[in-house]
Amino acid sequence: MRTTGKVLATSVLLLAVAACGDQSDQSGQGNQSDQSNQSSENSQDGQGGQTGATASRSPSQLPSAPPPAPSSVPPGPPQSRPTQGVPPGDTAPAAGQVDASALPAGYPHDVVLADGGSTVVVQAEEAGCDQVSAAAGEQNGDHVVVTVTLVRAPHGKMCPMHVRETPLPVRLAEPLGARKLLLRAGP
């Protein structure tokens, strides 16, 4: 009677494996299901060199992945520039020192001073196919002119829908100091 029960249980298990295999083959994973079911079957029978305890491991018993390779990035805070405010090491011009009244709407007008005031950095945003540039113009004892040029894509041109921050450094002949900074639209 005991042998008949074992044969019956094995037959039911084989039918279940066959049914699962037919469904798995449709999804392209039939071979993997058949192999895992066969190893479970072998472990229940005591065959195949595995016992039931080793055939079904819990996730905590599985071998762990190798540790990640060491990074070449030095430890410490990230070396990036913030997206808002004055970046570390740069300074903001004095209140009222920047005159951006001649720039059309949509032109960048935020500036910071770098390299001890020798470089004016126009903080611009470019969208899609738009291109922004800045260049030094007239420089005298009273003021410095920086021309900002914004080239927009022609009407009807397909452009990506993203905005990117673009710092536009303009090197001056001498540090800005107390001179007025005039932002003008370029050609």
Side-chain angles (χ1 to χ4, degrees), residues 13-135:
L13 184 60
L14 288 174
L15 286 174
V17 168
C20 289
D22 289 343
Q23 292 174 354
S24 300
D25 285 340
Q26 292 173 357
S27 65
Q29 298 176 354
N31 293 337
Q32 292 174 348
S33 292
D34 289 344
Q35 290 172 355
S36 64
N37 287 336
Q38 287 174 358
S39 69
S40 296
E41 190 177 307
N42 288 344
S43 66
Q44 289 174 354
D45 289 344
Q47 300 171 355
Q50 293 181 341
T51 64
T54 59
S56 60
R57 292 183 177 171
S58 69
S60 63
Q61 295 172 335
L62 295 176
S64 62
S71 174
S72 63
V73 177
Q79 302 298 316
S80 64
R81 297 175 71 88
T83 58
Q84 294 181 345
V86 178
D90 294 352
T91 58
Q97 189 175 10
V98 178
D99 179 3
S101 61
L103 288 178
Y107 274 63
H109 58 274
D110 293 330
V111 298
V112 294
L113 302 174
D115 302 325
S118 295
T119 303
V120 173
V121 181
V122 179
Q123 295 179 328
E125 290 182 344
E126 290 180 320
C129 297
D130 295 350
Q131 294 181 347
V132 183
S133 62

